[in-house]
Amino acid sequence: MSRFLSPVLLILAALVAGAAPAAAQAAALLQAAALSGDASGLTLTLGLSAPVQPVVFVLNAPRRVVVDLPGTRCAAALRLPPAAGLVTALRGAAREHGSYRLVLELRGHPNELPRVAAVGEAGDYQLQISLGATPSSTSFAAAPAPVASPAPVSSPPPAASPATSPAPAAAVAVRVVAPAHAPSGMERDIIVAIDAGHGGEDPGASGPGGTHEKNVTLAIARALAARINNRPGMHAVLTRDSDRLIDLRERTERARAANADLFVSIHADAVRNRAITGASVYTLSDRGASSEAARWLADRENAAVMKGGVSLASVNPSLASVLVDAAQSQNMGASVEAADEVLAALDRVGAIRKRLVQHAGFMVLKSPDAPSMLIETAYISNPAEERNLASRAYQERLAGAIEAGIATYFQRHPPDGTRYASTPRVTPTPVTPTVADDSGV
C-alpha cells in the first residue's frame, strides 16, 4: 500500500511483513486462518489460543476490511490463505504494542459492514468475520509451513459444530473509516501534509515590526490548504490549524498517520543582516538521512509501522537497514524533484535567495517513507519582506505559487492508485502571480 516504494522495496516489505514476529508481551497466538466464500460474500475464520477482543473496521479507496487483534502474535508456521472470491488480497503484519493486523482487500465496493462472531473458549477459540451473502462451501484454508521439528504450538482448533450457534463477540468495534478526501470510486486523492512552522509558546523568528513567524506560517499554510482542496484529485492535511506548539517528530507522525504523499513545511527565515531577502527550499541532507535511519534501526522495538503495514520491530537488522535505506533513497530523489518545481514557481512571486534546492538535516524532513520539503518563504528579518509576509494578498500569492509547483510535480509523477495517475498527463498552465512591491499592499 505504500505509495512511493519501488517494486524491489515492495518485495522487501512483503518479506518483512510476513517474517516480523510480534512483541513478546502478546498473550494470544493466531494458530489458524481459513477463508471461504465466493464473489458475493466471505467468511474469515481465525483460530486463536485465547479470547481476543478484535477491532474491525472498513477503509475505502480501495475497499478493505481491517481486523486488529490486540495482544496477539502470529504462529511462525502459519501461512495465510490465498485470496479468492470477493477477496483480492489478504495480508497480515505485526504491529507495535504486541498487536497483529489482518487486511482483506475486496473486489468491488460492498456497502455492508462486516459481521463478527466468537465461538469457543480459551485454547479452542475462533473468531469469524463475515461480509455479504452466506459463503459457499468452498474453503481456502491456510496450510502451515513445514517445520523441521514439531512447533511449540497447539493444533489448529477444530471447526465449530454446525449445531453451534456463534455468539456475538463482546465489545467488538465495527466502523467505517471514510475520510472526507476519499472519492466514491476506487481512485484516491493525492494527500499533501502542510506543516505550519512553530506555534504556541514558540513564536519562531520575529521581524523588526513585531510580526511573528508562527502567525505568518499558519496563514500561508491555511491558504495553501484551501487551494489544494479546491483542486480536484488533491486533499490537504494541516499538522496544526491553531496557535499551538507541536513537537517536531509529532508533526511528521501526523503526516504519516494521514498517509501523506508529500510533506511541506512552511517557515520564514531571519538573519542579523536585514538586507538579505529571498526564498529558499530545502530537502533532507544525506547526513540527516543517515542519522534518522540509524535512529529507526536502533529503535526497532518501538518503531512506528512504515507505509505498507511493515513494522521494523524485531526484524532482522540487515533487512531492516536495506528497507529503510531504499525508502529514504527513493523519497529523497522525489523530494528534490518536487522542491525544484516549487522553487521555480516561487521565482515568479518574489526574490529567490538560493536558486538551487538546498539540503539540511531538519527534523521535520526525516520521515523515511514520504517525500518532504521545507520552504523558507522569505526573510522576516527584512523590513520589506516582513510587510509582505504580514499581507494577506502576498500570503495568497505565496500559497498559489507553492500549490502550482506541487500540482506540476504530481502531474508529472502521479502516485499509483490516484485520480492523477488515471488521467492523461498534461503539463499544467503555470500560475504567474503578481510580484508584490515593497509596500506590502
Side-chain angles (χ1 to χ4, degrees):
M1 200 174 88
S2 180
R3 297 169 182 173
F4 284 91
L5 300 184
S6 66
V8 172
L9 190 54
L10 285 172
I11 294 172
L12 289 172
L15 290 173
V16 175
Q25 67 266 29
L29 187 69
L30 178 59
Q31 303 172 128
L35 178 64
S36 60
D38 53 27
S40 61
L42 68 90
T43 292
L44 175 65
T45 303
L46 305 176
L48 296 124
S49 63
V52 171
Q53 296 296 328
V55 177
V56 181
F57 55 97
V58 176
L59 294 171
N60 291 319
R63 188 74 164 180
R64 288 153 288 163
V65 174
V66 181
V67 182
D68 279 338
L69 303 173
T72 302
R73 62 185 177 88
C74 183
L78 178 65
R79 295 294 179 267
L80 295 177
L86 190 61
V87 178
T88 60
L90 172 61
R91 60 183 181 272
R95 292 175 60 79
E96 61 268 38
H97 309 304
S99 68
Y100 194 79
R101 169 170 288 186
L102 292 162
V103 179
L104 295 84
E105 290 192 10
L106 306 181
R107 195 183 312 278
H109 200 266
N111 293 321
E112 61 267 34
L113 292 175
R115 303 178 298 278
V116 183
V119 179
E121 299 177 352
D124 185 13
Y125 183 81
Q126 286 187 348
L127 279 175
Q128 291 183 341
I129 297 94
S130 302
L131 182 68
T134 303
S136 66
S137 58
T138 305
S139 178
F140 307 90
V147 292
S149 58
V153 177
S154 59
S155 300
S161 168
T164 304
S165 297
V172 173
V174 180
R175 65 187 189 277
V176 174
V177 179
H181 68 269
S184 58
M186 295 298 291
E187 298 168 352
R188 64 174 180 84
D189 286 353
I190 291 171
I191 301 175
V192 180
I194 306 170
D195 174 54
H198 307 281
E201 56 266 38
D202 174 18
S206 296
T211 304
H212 294 314
E213 181 180 8
K214 67 174 185 178
N215 298 325
V216 168
T217 60
L218 182 58
I220 296 172
R222 286 171 171 168
L224 176 57
R227 287 175 175 269
I228 287 176
N229 287 332
N230 284 334
R231 183 179 285 270
M234 295 180 70
H235 176 72
V237 175
L238 290 167
T239 62
R240 75 174 178 97
D241 194 20
S242 62
D243 184 18
R244 55 176 299 198
L245 180 63
I246 299 176
D247 179 78
L248 295 178
R249 198 171 293 281
E250 183 181 348
R251 294 169 186 262
T252 61
E253 289 299 325
R254 290 185 177 199
R256 296 183 69 248
N259 289 318
D261 295 285
L262 181 68
F263 179 88
V264 180
S265 191
I266 307 295
H267 289 260
D269 210 349
V271 290
R272 289 185 179 182
N273 186 351
R274 294 185 177 180
I276 292 179
T277 62
S280 304
V281 183
Y282 290 81
T283 63
L284 186 61
S285 66
D286 289 337
R287 179 175 297 181
S290 298
S291 64
E292 185 65 5
R295 188 195 73 82
W296 274 59
L297 295 172
D299 193 30
R300 291 199 315 276
E301 292 299 322
N302 299 310
V305 176
M306 294 183 70
K307 279 187 178 180
V310 180
S311 175
L312 297 181
S314 301
V315 175
N316 177 280
S318 297
L319 185 57
S321 177
V322 171
L323 184 61
V324 172
D325 287 347
Q328 280 190 326
S329 177
Q330 186 163 353
N331 286 311
M332 287 173 69
S335 297
V336 172
E337 291 188 63
D340 275 334
E341 299 293 352
V342 170
L343 187 61
L346 286 172
D347 195 18
R348 297 189 289 269
V349 175
I352 296 296
R353 174 65 177 169
K354 303 285 187 178
R355 294 199 168 273
L356 295 177
V357 173
Q358 304 299 296
H359 308 286
F362 292 118
M363 179 64 245
V364 292
L365 300 180
K366 290 187 176 182
S367 179
D369 59 354
S372 57
M373 72 178 77
L374 184 146
I375 303 171
E376 295 286 4
T377 54
Y379 279 87
I380 201 171
S381 50
N382 178 275
E385 291 205 332
E386 179 191 14
R387 290 193 297 271
N388 281 341
L389 288 171
S391 163
R392 177 66 180 271
Y394 192 76
Q395 292 167 1
E396 290 288 345
R397 291 171 190 147
L398 286 171
I402 297 169
E403 185 260 352
I406 291 172
T408 300
Y409 168 74
F410 279 124
Q411 288 198 344
R412 293 176 178 171
H413 306 280
D416 292 339
T418 62
R419 286 189 274 182
Y420 269 46
S422 64
T423 56
R425 300 186 186 183
V426 179
T427 302
T429 302
V431 176
T432 308
T434 304
V435 177
D437 60 19
D438 288 348
S439 67
V441 177

